[in-house]
Amino acid sequence: MGDIHRLVIEHGRDKARALVRPEERTLVDIAADILADENQHLGITYSGFCLTSLPHKKLADDAPWEKRGHQVTLLVEPGRLKVNGKMKLFGVPYGARARMILIYLQTQAVRTGRREVELGRSMRDWLTRMGISVGGETFRGFREQSLRISACSLKFFWDGENADVFEKGGIVKRGLIFHDALGDDRQGTLWNDVVQLDETFFQALRDHPVPLLEEAVRQLKDRSLSLDLYVWLAYRLHSLARPQPISWPSLYAQFGAGYDQMKHFKPRFVQALQYALAAYPDAKVEPADDGVVLHPSRPPIARLLA
């Protein structure tokens, strides 16, 4: 457990905020909310998303996205959907909103054991619980990312014995389309009633789910790099048998998209990691001159050990 969490435990949120630098007060707030979470609601993501990630920023609509991670490569290609009677090209999904939609779909699919995921009020309620107000610009942003997720082709290429888990396919088979208009009588039905996940993706998700703490996802909802680091640590740390050093070149290769030089990436990574660690009290990650050292740690959901 880090110094921020100890401060909160020993002194409480308000006193802890007074004891740290102004730029660290958000870390205190995140740590305090995580430590106060008694519900321990479960979130789920596919292991491939813990080792690779979607882009953080918008790409050109016709640009594919390829991301190499530890023993896996993610390839996402743009696709077309018919909108208002016309075929339209949609670029690959990106940013925190795409990640939030995916975590919801994956969590619900694993929870129910079905690749048909109910939306409507259930997703609205979940977004509200995540602290996201669905309306105006936020609605338009989620609608855009839902269309990108629906249109794209997604493939994971695994090395070694897990090779060719995905030969083809996407994430969503059908149904992830936002309604065009909002009205008081539409508040519970912003989306179609049911989304059907791609069968190949659903099977891979069932075979390789990674548990997340829902409150941690809520805390990091506006920080896509921190969210990526959180899910990476959730996957890596509890499976380690011994300390694992990770070099700066490896970190840059996995998380450095959008940074032309290592010197620009390092301070952004260090900052994002602090937010991820604030949301994961049991994570043991040690800074090193040549990168970081991961240590065996408890998973982020305490009840998994019961």
mmCIF file of all heavy atoms in Angstrom, residues 62-109:
data_model
loop_
_atom_site.group_PDB
_atom_site.id
_atom_site.type_symbol
_atom_site.label_atom_id
_atom_site.label_comp_id
_atom_site.label_asym_id
_atom_site.label_seq_id
_atom_site.Cartn_x
_atom_site.Cartn_y
_atom_site.Cartn_z
ATOM 1 N N ASP A 62 -9.582 6.664 -42.082
ATOM 2 C CA ASP A 62 -9.177 5.481 -42.846
ATOM 3 C C ASP A 62 -7.914 4.827 -42.287
ATOM 4 O O ASP A 62 -7.380 3.891 -42.885
ATOM 5 C CB ASP A 62 -8.957 5.841 -44.316
ATOM 6 C CG ASP A 62 -7.874 6.901 -44.505
ATOM 7 O OD1 ASP A 62 -7.419 7.491 -43.499
ATOM 8 O OD2 ASP A 62 -7.486 7.138 -45.665
ATOM 9 N N ALA A 63 -7.446 5.269 -41.127
ATOM 10 C CA ALA A 63 -6.190 4.747 -40.576
ATOM 11 C C ALA A 63 -6.438 3.542 -39.682
ATOM 12 O O ALA A 63 -7.264 3.607 -38.753
ATOM 13 C CB ALA A 63 -5.470 5.840 -39.784
ATOM 14 N N PRO A 64 -5.746 2.421 -39.904
ATOM 15 C CA PRO A 64 -5.826 1.284 -38.986
ATOM 16 C C PRO A 64 -4.991 1.565 -37.740
ATOM 17 O O PRO A 64 -4.177 2.495 -37.716
ATOM 18 C CB PRO A 64 -5.235 0.136 -39.799
ATOM 19 C CG PRO A 64 -4.265 0.807 -40.717
ATOM 20 C CD PRO A 64 -4.866 2.143 -41.050
ATOM 21 N N TRP A 65 -5.189 0.767 -36.723
ATOM 22 C CA TRP A 65 -4.444 0.895 -35.467
ATOM 23 C C TRP A 65 -3.810 -0.456 -35.145
ATOM 24 O O TRP A 65 -4.495 -1.470 -35.066
ATOM 25 C CB TRP A 65 -5.369 1.312 -34.344
ATOM 26 C CG TRP A 65 -4.759 1.279 -32.964
ATOM 27 C CD1 TRP A 65 -4.963 0.350 -31.990
ATOM 28 C CD2 TRP A 65 -3.856 2.248 -32.405
ATOM 29 N NE1 TRP A 65 -4.256 0.674 -30.852
ATOM 30 C CE2 TRP A 65 -3.563 1.843 -31.086
ATOM 31 C CE3 TRP A 65 -3.281 3.428 -32.896
ATOM 32 C CZ2 TRP A 65 -2.718 2.565 -30.247
ATOM 33 C CZ3 TRP A 65 -2.441 4.140 -32.062
ATOM 34 C CH2 TRP A 65 -2.162 3.717 -30.754
ATOM 35 N N GLU A 66 -2.513 -0.457 -34.996
ATOM 36 C CA GLU A 66 -1.795 -1.678 -34.621
ATOM 37 C C GLU A 66 -0.994 -1.395 -33.363
ATOM 38 O O GLU A 66 -0.249 -0.420 -33.292
ATOM 39 C CB GLU A 66 -0.864 -2.138 -35.740
ATOM 40 C CG GLU A 66 -0.148 -3.440 -35.424
ATOM 41 C CD GLU A 66 0.653 -3.968 -36.609
ATOM 42 O OE1 GLU A 66 0.259 -3.683 -37.755
ATOM 43 O OE2 GLU A 66 1.672 -4.653 -36.375
ATOM 44 N N LYS A 67 -1.164 -2.249 -32.347
ATOM 45 C CA LYS A 67 -0.484 -2.037 -31.079
ATOM 46 C C LYS A 67 0.094 -3.348 -30.572
ATOM 47 O O LYS A 67 -0.621 -4.332 -30.408
ATOM 48 C CB LYS A 67 -1.469 -1.479 -30.044
ATOM 49 C CG LYS A 67 -0.783 -0.922 -28.817
ATOM 50 C CD LYS A 67 0.099 0.236 -29.179
ATOM 51 C CE LYS A 67 0.825 0.805 -27.966
ATOM 52 N NZ LYS A 67 1.820 1.805 -28.335
ATOM 53 N N ARG A 68 1.394 -3.338 -30.344
ATOM 54 C CA ARG A 68 2.092 -4.505 -29.853
ATOM 55 C C ARG A 68 2.172 -4.469 -28.334
ATOM 56 O O ARG A 68 2.512 -3.448 -27.740
ATOM 57 C CB ARG A 68 3.513 -4.547 -30.436
ATOM 58 C CG ARG A 68 4.406 -5.652 -29.891
ATOM 59 C CD ARG A 68 3.978 -6.999 -30.367
ATOM 60 N NE ARG A 68 4.807 -8.063 -29.798
ATOM 61 C CZ ARG A 68 4.549 -9.352 -29.884
ATOM 62 N NH1 ARG A 68 3.474 -9.768 -30.536
ATOM 63 N NH2 ARG A 68 5.348 -10.238 -29.345
ATOM 64 N N GLY A 69 1.833 -5.584 -27.685
ATOM 65 C CA GLY A 69 1.983 -5.731 -26.247
ATOM 66 C C GLY A 69 2.786 -6.979 -25.937
ATOM 67 O O GLY A 69 3.401 -7.580 -26.824
ATOM 68 N N HIS A 70 2.776 -7.374 -24.680
ATOM 69 C CA HIS A 70 3.523 -8.553 -24.254
ATOM 70 C C HIS A 70 2.892 -9.817 -24.842
ATOM 71 O O HIS A 70 1.818 -10.238 -24.442
ATOM 72 C CB HIS A 70 3.527 -8.630 -22.728
ATOM 73 C CG HIS A 70 4.255 -9.808 -22.173
ATOM 74 N ND1 HIS A 70 5.618 -9.973 -22.294
ATOM 75 C CD2 HIS A 70 3.811 -10.907 -21.503
ATOM 76 C CE1 HIS A 70 5.986 -11.095 -21.716
ATOM 77 N NE2 HIS A 70 4.903 -11.679 -21.232
ATOM 78 N N GLN A 71 3.537 -10.396 -25.847
ATOM 79 C CA GLN A 71 3.113 -11.642 -26.495
ATOM 80 C C GLN A 71 1.790 -11.512 -27.248
ATOM 81 O O GLN A 71 1.141 -12.510 -27.546
ATOM 82 C CB GLN A 71 3.011 -12.788 -25.476
ATOM 83 C CG GLN A 71 4.351 -13.147 -24.841
ATOM 84 C CD GLN A 71 4.264 -14.356 -23.936
ATOM 85 O OE1 GLN A 71 3.207 -14.694 -23.417
ATOM 86 N NE2 GLN A 71 5.387 -15.012 -23.728
ATOM 87 N N VAL A 72 1.392 -10.304 -27.585
ATOM 88 C CA VAL A 72 0.147 -10.141 -28.328
ATOM 89 C C VAL A 72 0.202 -8.838 -29.126
ATOM 90 O O VAL A 72 0.840 -7.868 -28.722
ATOM 91 C CB VAL A 72 -1.074 -10.119 -27.363
ATOM 92 C CG1 VAL A 72 -1.002 -8.929 -26.420
ATOM 93 C CG2 VAL A 72 -2.387 -10.123 -28.126
ATOM 94 N N THR A 73 -0.457 -8.852 -30.278
ATOM 95 C CA THR A 73 -0.598 -7.648 -31.103
ATOM 96 C C THR A 73 -2.077 -7.425 -31.377
ATOM 97 O O THR A 73 -2.807 -8.361 -31.724
ATOM 98 C CB THR A 73 0.155 -7.793 -32.435
ATOM 99 O OG1 THR A 73 1.544 -7.981 -32.165
ATOM 100 C CG2 THR A 73 -0.016 -6.544 -33.294
ATOM 101 N N LEU A 74 -2.520 -6.203 -31.203
ATOM 102 C CA LEU A 74 -3.896 -5.806 -31.498
ATOM 103 C C LEU A 74 -3.920 -5.052 -32.817
ATOM 104 O O LEU A 74 -3.147 -4.120 -33.020
ATOM 105 C CB LEU A 74 -4.443 -4.914 -30.382
ATOM 106 C CG LEU A 74 -5.760 -4.187 -30.664
ATOM 107 C CD1 LEU A 74 -6.906 -5.169 -30.828
ATOM 108 C CD2 LEU A 74 -6.062 -3.183 -29.539
ATOM 109 N N LEU A 75 -4.808 -5.469 -33.705
ATOM 110 C CA LEU A 75 -5.028 -4.758 -34.957
ATOM 111 C C LEU A 75 -6.499 -4.361 -35.034
ATOM 112 O O LEU A 75 -7.385 -5.220 -34.953
ATOM 113 C CB LEU A 75 -4.666 -5.636 -36.162
ATOM 114 C CG LEU A 75 -4.987 -5.038 -37.540
ATOM 115 C CD1 LEU A 75 -4.177 -3.774 -37.792
ATOM 116 C CD2 LEU A 75 -4.734 -6.070 -38.645
ATOM 117 N N VAL A 76 -6.751 -3.077 -35.156
ATOM 118 C CA VAL A 76 -8.115 -2.560 -35.312
ATOM 119 C C VAL A 76 -8.176 -1.812 -36.630
ATOM 120 O O VAL A 76 -7.362 -0.919 -36.886
ATOM 121 C CB VAL A 76 -8.509 -1.619 -34.152
ATOM 122 C CG1 VAL A 76 -9.984 -1.256 -34.253
ATOM 123 C CG2 VAL A 76 -8.209 -2.259 -32.806
ATOM 124 N N GLU A 77 -9.140 -2.183 -37.466
ATOM 125 C CA GLU A 77 -9.290 -1.554 -38.771
ATOM 126 C C GLU A 77 -10.633 -0.846 -38.859
ATOM 127 O O GLU A 77 -11.640 -1.338 -38.334
ATOM 128 C CB GLU A 77 -9.165 -2.605 -39.873
ATOM 129 C CG GLU A 77 -7.794 -3.274 -39.909
ATOM 130 C CD GLU A 77 -7.703 -4.370 -40.949
ATOM 131 O OE1 GLU A 77 -8.452 -5.360 -40.817
ATOM 132 O OE2 GLU A 77 -6.891 -4.237 -41.879
ATOM 133 N N PRO A 78 -10.674 0.310 -39.525
ATOM 134 C CA PRO A 78 -11.937 1.036 -39.676
ATOM 135 C C PRO A 78 -12.957 0.209 -40.449
ATOM 136 O O PRO A 78 -12.603 -0.722 -41.188
ATOM 137 C CB PRO A 78 -11.538 2.290 -40.464
ATOM 138 C CG PRO A 78 -10.054 2.381 -40.357
ATOM 139 C CD PRO A 78 -9.553 0.977 -40.201
ATOM 140 N N GLY A 79 -14.219 0.554 -40.270
ATOM 141 C CA GLY A 79 -15.274 -0.157 -40.988
ATOM 142 C C GLY A 79 -16.402 0.780 -41.381
ATOM 143 O O GLY A 79 -16.386 1.967 -41.051
ATOM 144 N N ARG A 80 -17.387 0.240 -42.072
ATOM 145 C CA ARG A 80 -18.505 1.040 -42.570
ATOM 146 C C ARG A 80 -19.821 0.545 -41.986
ATOM 147 O O ARG A 80 -20.014 -0.651 -41.763
ATOM 148 C CB ARG A 80 -18.566 0.987 -44.098
ATOM 149 C CG ARG A 80 -17.346 1.617 -44.774
ATOM 150 C CD ARG A 80 -17.437 1.549 -46.290
ATOM 151 N NE ARG A 80 -16.239 2.103 -46.910
ATOM 152 C CZ ARG A 80 -16.046 3.391 -47.171
ATOM 153 N NH1 ARG A 80 -17.009 4.264 -46.895
ATOM 154 N NH2 ARG A 80 -14.927 3.807 -47.733
ATOM 155 N N LEU A 81 -20.721 1.485 -41.752
ATOM 156 C CA LEU A 81 -22.080 1.196 -41.327
ATOM 157 C C LEU A 81 -23.036 2.030 -42.166
ATOM 158 O O LEU A 81 -22.673 3.104 -42.656
ATOM 159 C CB LEU A 81 -22.279 1.557 -39.851
ATOM 160 C CG LEU A 81 -21.564 0.729 -38.787
ATOM 161 C CD1 LEU A 81 -21.815 1.346 -37.414
ATOM 162 C CD2 LEU A 81 -22.024 -0.716 -38.819
ATOM 163 N N LYS A 82 -24.258 1.541 -42.305
ATOM 164 C CA LYS A 82 -25.282 2.326 -42.996
ATOM 165 C C LYS A 82 -25.953 3.243 -41.984
ATOM 166 O O LYS A 82 -26.547 2.782 -41.001
ATOM 167 C CB LYS A 82 -26.315 1.414 -43.653
ATOM 168 C CG LYS A 82 -27.368 2.183 -44.460
ATOM 169 C CD LYS A 82 -28.309 1.251 -45.184
ATOM 170 C CE LYS A 82 -27.620 0.614 -46.377
ATOM 171 N NZ LYS A 82 -28.582 -0.156 -47.220
ATOM 172 N N VAL A 83 -25.850 4.547 -42.217
ATOM 173 C CA VAL A 83 -26.435 5.557 -41.335
ATOM 174 C C VAL A 83 -27.306 6.465 -42.182
ATOM 175 O O VAL A 83 -26.845 7.038 -43.169
ATOM 176 C CB VAL A 83 -25.338 6.379 -40.618
ATOM 177 C CG1 VAL A 83 -25.974 7.451 -39.737
ATOM 178 C CG2 VAL A 83 -24.452 5.474 -39.786
ATOM 179 N N ASN A 84 -28.580 6.570 -41.798
ATOM 180 C CA ASN A 84 -29.534 7.394 -42.559
ATOM 181 C C ASN A 84 -29.574 6.987 -44.031
ATOM 182 O O ASN A 84 -29.623 7.832 -44.929
ATOM 183 C CB ASN A 84 -29.185 8.876 -42.425
ATOM 184 C CG ASN A 84 -29.299 9.374 -40.994
ATOM 185 O OD1 ASN A 84 -30.158 8.917 -40.235
ATOM 186 N ND2 ASN A 84 -28.428 10.305 -40.624
ATOM 187 N N GLY A 85 -29.501 5.681 -44.279
ATOM 188 C CA GLY A 85 -29.619 5.155 -45.627
ATOM 189 C C GLY A 85 -28.349 5.189 -46.450
ATOM 190 O O GLY A 85 -28.354 4.758 -47.609
ATOM 191 N N LYS A 86 -27.240 5.677 -45.880
ATOM 192 C CA LYS A 86 -25.988 5.779 -46.623
ATOM 193 C C LYS A 86 -24.865 5.074 -45.876
ATOM 194 O O LYS A 86 -24.818 5.103 -44.646
ATOM 195 C CB LYS A 86 -25.610 7.253 -46.851
ATOM 196 C CG LYS A 86 -26.620 8.031 -47.685
ATOM 197 C CD LYS A 86 -26.161 9.476 -47.860
ATOM 198 C CE LYS A 86 -27.160 10.268 -48.703
ATOM 199 N NZ LYS A 86 -26.723 11.693 -48.882
ATOM 200 N N MET A 87 -23.968 4.451 -46.638
ATOM 201 C CA MET A 87 -22.812 3.813 -46.036
ATOM 202 C C MET A 87 -21.798 4.889 -45.632
ATOM 203 O O MET A 87 -21.489 5.779 -46.414
ATOM 204 C CB MET A 87 -22.170 2.829 -47.008
ATOM 205 C CG MET A 87 -23.062 1.658 -47.388
ATOM 206 S SD MET A 87 -23.599 0.669 -45.953
ATOM 207 C CE MET A 87 -22.033 0.021 -45.383
ATOM 208 N N LYS A 88 -21.293 4.775 -44.421
ATOM 209 C CA LYS A 88 -20.350 5.763 -43.909
ATOM 210 C C LYS A 88 -19.167 5.064 -43.261
ATOM 211 O O LYS A 88 -19.342 4.071 -42.553
ATOM 212 C CB LYS A 88 -21.036 6.681 -42.888
ATOM 213 C CG LYS A 88 -20.119 7.748 -42.317
ATOM 214 C CD LYS A 88 -20.856 8.647 -41.330
ATOM 215 C CE LYS A 88 -19.911 9.674 -40.723
ATOM 216 N NZ LYS A 88 -20.603 10.558 -39.748
ATOM 217 N N LEU A 89 -17.975 5.585 -43.521
ATOM 218 C CA LEU A 89 -16.756 5.047 -42.927
ATOM 219 C C LEU A 89 -16.566 5.631 -41.531
ATOM 220 O O LEU A 89 -16.647 6.836 -41.332
ATOM 221 C CB LEU A 89 -15.546 5.400 -43.790
ATOM 222 C CG LEU A 89 -14.168 4.986 -43.243
ATOM 223 C CD1 LEU A 89 -14.036 3.465 -43.229
ATOM 224 C CD2 LEU A 89 -13.058 5.618 -44.072
ATOM 225 N N PHE A 90 -16.307 4.739 -40.570
ATOM 226 C CA PHE A 90 -16.032 5.167 -39.209
ATOM 227 C C PHE A 90 -14.620 4.740 -38.829
ATOM 228 O O PHE A 90 -14.226 3.586 -39.027
ATOM 229 C CB PHE A 90 -17.032 4.547 -38.226
ATOM 230 C CG PHE A 90 -18.413 5.127 -38.326
ATOM 231 C CD1 PHE A 90 -19.354 4.535 -39.152
ATOM 232 C CD2 PHE A 90 -18.761 6.258 -37.605
ATOM 233 C CE1 PHE A 90 -20.629 5.067 -39.254
ATOM 234 C CE2 PHE A 90 -20.026 6.796 -37.703
ATOM 235 C CZ PHE A 90 -20.965 6.201 -38.532
ATOM 236 N N GLY A 91 -13.860 5.669 -38.280
ATOM 237 C CA GLY A 91 -12.513 5.365 -37.828
ATOM 238 C C GLY A 91 -12.524 4.472 -36.597
ATOM 239 O O GLY A 91 -13.572 4.161 -36.026
ATOM 240 N N VAL A 92 -11.346 4.067 -36.166
ATOM 241 C CA VAL A 92 -11.250 3.156 -35.026
ATOM 242 C C VAL A 92 -11.663 3.891 -33.746
ATOM 243 O O VAL A 92 -11.495 5.104 -33.628
ATOM 244 C CB VAL A 92 -9.822 2.587 -34.883
ATOM 245 C CG1 VAL A 92 -9.404 1.850 -36.138
ATOM 246 C CG2 VAL A 92 -8.819 3.680 -34.552
ATOM 247 N N PRO A 93 -12.223 3.167 -32.770
ATOM 248 C CA PRO A 93 -12.596 3.791 -31.497
ATOM 249 C C PRO A 93 -11.361 4.267 -30.743
ATOM 250 O O PRO A 93 -10.265 3.729 -30.915
ATOM 251 C CB PRO A 93 -13.319 2.676 -30.745
ATOM 252 C CG PRO A 93 -12.864 1.404 -31.379
ATOM 253 C CD PRO A 93 -12.565 1.729 -32.807
ATOM 254 N N TYR A 94 -11.552 5.273 -29.885
ATOM 255 C CA TYR A 94 -10.412 5.843 -29.173
ATOM 256 C C TYR A 94 -10.878 6.491 -27.868
ATOM 257 O O TYR A 94 -12.066 6.770 -27.679
ATOM 258 C CB TYR A 94 -9.701 6.894 -30.036
ATOM 259 C CG TYR A 94 -10.551 8.113 -30.338
ATOM 260 C CD1 TYR A 94 -10.508 9.239 -29.512
ATOM 261 C CD2 TYR A 94 -11.421 8.134 -31.429
ATOM 262 C CE1 TYR A 94 -11.307 10.350 -29.777
ATOM 263 C CE2 TYR A 94 -12.209 9.241 -31.698
ATOM 264 C CZ TYR A 94 -12.147 10.343 -30.867
ATOM 265 O OH TYR A 94 -12.941 11.439 -31.125
ATOM 266 N N GLY A 95 -9.941 6.733 -26.976
ATOM 267 C CA GLY A 95 -10.199 7.519 -25.782
ATOM 268 C C GLY A 95 -10.903 6.775 -24.664
ATOM 269 O O GLY A 95 -11.219 5.586 -24.753
ATOM 270 N N ALA A 96 -11.163 7.510 -23.584
ATOM 271 C CA ALA A 96 -11.737 6.923 -22.377
ATOM 272 C C ALA A 96 -13.169 6.441 -22.595
ATOM 273 O O ALA A 96 -13.586 5.434 -22.018
ATOM 274 C CB ALA A 96 -11.686 7.939 -21.234
ATOM 275 N N ARG A 97 -13.948 7.144 -23.424
ATOM 276 C CA ARG A 97 -15.349 6.751 -23.605
ATOM 277 C C ARG A 97 -15.473 5.395 -24.283
ATOM 278 O O ARG A 97 -16.321 4.576 -23.914
ATOM 279 C CB ARG A 97 -16.094 7.827 -24.395
ATOM 280 C CG ARG A 97 -16.325 9.093 -23.590
ATOM 281 C CD ARG A 97 -16.776 10.253 -24.424
ATOM 282 N NE ARG A 97 -17.032 11.425 -23.601
ATOM 283 C CZ ARG A 97 -17.227 12.643 -24.071
ATOM 284 N NH1 ARG A 97 -17.214 12.839 -25.386
ATOM 285 N NH2 ARG A 97 -17.441 13.661 -23.259
ATOM 286 N N ALA A 98 -14.629 5.134 -25.277
ATOM 287 C CA ALA A 98 -14.648 3.818 -25.918
ATOM 288 C C ALA A 98 -14.292 2.734 -24.913
ATOM 289 O O ALA A 98 -14.901 1.654 -24.898
ATOM 290 C CB ALA A 98 -13.665 3.791 -27.089
ATOM 291 N N ARG A 99 -13.331 3.008 -24.066
ATOM 292 C CA ARG A 99 -12.930 2.034 -23.047
ATOM 293 C C ARG A 99 -14.068 1.763 -22.068
ATOM 294 O O ARG A 99 -14.283 0.623 -21.660
ATOM 295 C CB ARG A 99 -11.688 2.545 -22.306
ATOM 296 C CG ARG A 99 -10.411 2.497 -23.149
ATOM 297 C CD ARG A 99 -9.343 3.433 -22.594
ATOM 298 N NE ARG A 99 -8.032 3.247 -23.206
ATOM 299 C CZ ARG A 99 -7.667 3.720 -24.384
ATOM 300 N NH1 ARG A 99 -8.535 4.410 -25.106
ATOM 301 N NH2 ARG A 99 -6.454 3.502 -24.850
ATOM 302 N N MET A 100 -14.800 2.798 -21.686
ATOM 303 C CA MET A 100 -15.914 2.630 -20.749
ATOM 304 C C MET A 100 -17.027 1.785 -21.363
ATOM 305 O O MET A 100 -17.583 0.899 -20.706
ATOM 306 C CB MET A 100 -16.463 3.996 -20.340
ATOM 307 C CG MET A 100 -15.491 4.859 -19.561
ATOM 308 S SD MET A 100 -15.125 4.215 -17.929
ATOM 309 C CE MET A 100 -16.661 4.576 -17.079
ATOM 310 N N ILE A 101 -17.361 2.039 -22.617
ATOM 311 C CA ILE A 101 -18.391 1.236 -23.288
ATOM 312 C C ILE A 101 -17.968 -0.226 -23.327
ATOM 313 O O ILE A 101 -18.763 -1.134 -23.033
ATOM 314 C CB ILE A 101 -18.648 1.763 -24.710
ATOM 315 C CG1 ILE A 101 -19.289 3.147 -24.659
ATOM 316 C CG2 ILE A 101 -19.558 0.804 -25.485
ATOM 317 C CD1 ILE A 101 -19.379 3.838 -26.012
ATOM 318 N N LEU A 102 -16.724 -0.476 -23.676
ATOM 319 C CA LEU A 102 -16.239 -1.851 -23.781
ATOM 320 C C LEU A 102 -16.250 -2.558 -22.430
ATOM 321 O O LEU A 102 -16.604 -3.739 -22.341
ATOM 322 C CB LEU A 102 -14.834 -1.873 -24.374
ATOM 323 C CG LEU A 102 -14.749 -1.539 -25.861
ATOM 324 C CD1 LEU A 102 -13.290 -1.442 -26.301
ATOM 325 C CD2 LEU A 102 -15.478 -2.589 -26.689
ATOM 326 N N ILE A 103 -15.850 -1.872 -21.379
ATOM 327 C CA ILE A 103 -15.861 -2.493 -20.052
ATOM 328 C C ILE A 103 -17.284 -2.857 -19.647
ATOM 329 O O ILE A 103 -17.528 -3.944 -19.098
ATOM 330 C CB ILE A 103 -15.199 -1.573 -19.015
ATOM 331 C CG1 ILE A 103 -13.685 -1.529 -19.247
ATOM 332 C CG2 ILE A 103 -15.494 -2.046 -17.588
ATOM 333 C CD1 ILE A 103 -12.955 -0.518 -18.394
ATOM 334 N N TYR A 104 -18.235 -1.978 -19.943
ATOM 335 C CA TYR A 104 -19.628 -2.305 -19.633
ATOM 336 C C TYR A 104 -20.089 -3.546 -20.388
ATOM 337 O O TYR A 104 -20.656 -4.478 -19.799
ATOM 338 C CB TYR A 104 -20.547 -1.134 -19.967
ATOM 339 C CG TYR A 104 -22.006 -1.510 -19.828
ATOM 340 C CD1 TYR A 104 -22.602 -1.550 -18.577
ATOM 341 C CD2 TYR A 104 -22.767 -1.882 -20.934
ATOM 342 C CE1 TYR A 104 -23.925 -1.930 -18.432
ATOM 343 C CE2 TYR A 104 -24.089 -2.258 -20.802
ATOM 344 C CZ TYR A 104 -24.667 -2.283 -19.547
ATOM 345 O OH TYR A 104 -25.972 -2.679 -19.404
ATOM 346 N N LEU A 105 -19.862 -3.589 -21.687
ATOM 347 C CA LEU A 105 -20.318 -4.720 -22.494
ATOM 348 C C LEU A 105 -19.679 -6.019 -22.018
ATOM 349 O O LEU A 105 -20.348 -7.049 -21.896
ATOM 350 C CB LEU A 105 -19.981 -4.483 -23.966
ATOM 351 C CG LEU A 105 -20.692 -3.323 -24.670
ATOM 352 C CD1 LEU A 105 -20.181 -3.183 -26.097
ATOM 353 C CD2 LEU A 105 -22.200 -3.511 -24.655
ATOM 354 N N GLN A 106 -18.387 -5.974 -21.737
ATOM 355 C CA GLN A 106 -17.682 -7.186 -21.310
ATOM 356 C C GLN A 106 -18.153 -7.641 -19.926
ATOM 357 O O GLN A 106 -18.337 -8.837 -19.686
ATOM 358 C CB GLN A 106 -16.174 -6.927 -21.295
ATOM 359 C CG GLN A 106 -15.602 -6.701 -22.688
ATOM 360 C CD GLN A 106 -14.157 -6.242 -22.636
ATOM 361 O OE1 GLN A 106 -13.237 -7.038 -22.769
ATOM 362 N NE2 GLN A 106 -13.956 -4.943 -22.421
ATOM 363 N N THR A 107 -18.351 -6.694 -19.033
ATOM 364 C CA THR A 107 -18.802 -7.034 -17.684
ATOM 365 C C THR A 107 -20.166 -7.700 -17.713
ATOM 366 O O THR A 107 -20.387 -8.740 -17.071
ATOM 367 C CB THR A 107 -18.860 -5.758 -16.809
ATOM 368 O OG1 THR A 107 -17.548 -5.190 -16.728
ATOM 369 C CG2 THR A 107 -19.350 -6.083 -15.408
ATOM 370 N N GLN A 108 -21.089 -7.122 -18.467
ATOM 371 C CA GLN A 108 -22.432 -7.678 -18.532
ATOM 372 C C GLN A 108 -22.443 -9.051 -19.192
ATOM 373 O O GLN A 108 -23.177 -9.954 -18.768
ATOM 374 C CB GLN A 108 -23.358 -6.721 -19.283
ATOM 375 C CG GLN A 108 -23.629 -5.413 -18.546
ATOM 376 C CD GLN A 108 -24.346 -5.637 -17.234
ATOM 377 O OE1 GLN A 108 -23.711 -5.639 -16.180
ATOM 378 N NE2 GLN A 108 -25.648 -5.818 -17.288
ATOM 379 N N ALA A 109 -21.648 -9.219 -20.234
ATOM 380 C CA ALA A 109 -21.617 -10.506 -20.932
ATOM 381 C C ALA A 109 -21.104 -11.617 -20.033
ATOM 382 O O ALA A 109 -21.657 -12.725 -19.998
ATOM 383 C CB ALA A 109 -20.748 -10.390 -22.187
#
